[in-house]
Amino acid sequence: MKNKKNLISFDTLHKSWMGDPEYKHEYERLGPEFEIARQIIDARIKRNITQVELAKRMKTGQAVVSRLETANAKPSLSLIQRLADALNLRFELRFYPK
């Protein structure tokens, strides 16, 4: 008989962890970076292009696109503009009150 493991969904785990002030702080601090990554992935997939094709359009390497999509980069505004151009998107930067 196989041993059944108690599995917890990410949403349940995340909700639980949000009760930890340190976790919540870090999650909120990194939120904008992950939102940018999610938007890049969504836009690329919507256009049905690979990371390699996007990189070619941006005149850069696939590793750069990968780092953007995993939020492992601190891109310059010029790189973000090249990304937007390659995806035929308009890029906006906004500041909001805290």
Side-chain angles (χ1 to χ4, degrees):
M1 184 168 170
K2 289 192 173 190
N3 200 3
K4 289 190 178 186
K5 295 182 180 187
N6 293 327
L7 301 177
I8 301 171
S9 73
F10 173 76
D11 290 337
T12 301
L13 193 56
H14 172 68
K15 193 175 197 179
S16 169
W17 286 346
M18 285 298 278
D20 176 350
E22 194 173 327
Y23 175 86
K24 184 176 181 179
H25 173 75
E26 285 301 304
Y27 179 81
E28 289 172 352
R29 185 180 69 80
L30 295 172
E33 292 178 36
F34 287 111
E35 178 61 22
I36 291 168
R38 186 193 61 76
Q39 287 186 28
I40 293 168
I41 294 166
D42 289 350
R44 181 177 61 76
I45 290 171
K46 187 180 224 180
R47 286 154 181 77
N48 198 32
I49 61 174
T50 65
Q51 286 184 349
V52 171
E53 177 59 29
L54 179 56
K56 284 180 186 176
R57 291 181 186 191
M58 293 173 64
K59 296 181 174 44
T60 191
Q62 178 271 332
V64 171
V65 175
S66 176
R67 285 192 295 273
L68 290 170
E69 290 188 357
T70 57
N72 286 321
K74 302 273 188 214
S76 65
L77 291 178
S78 63
L79 181 64
I80 295 291
Q81 186 61 61
R82 286 181 21 223
L83 171 72
D85 291 343
L87 292 169
N88 197 29
L89 296 171
R90 188 172 58 117
F91 164 63
E92 286 184 2
L93 175 65
R94 295 185 197 193
F95 291 95
Y96 296 94
K98 289 184 177 182

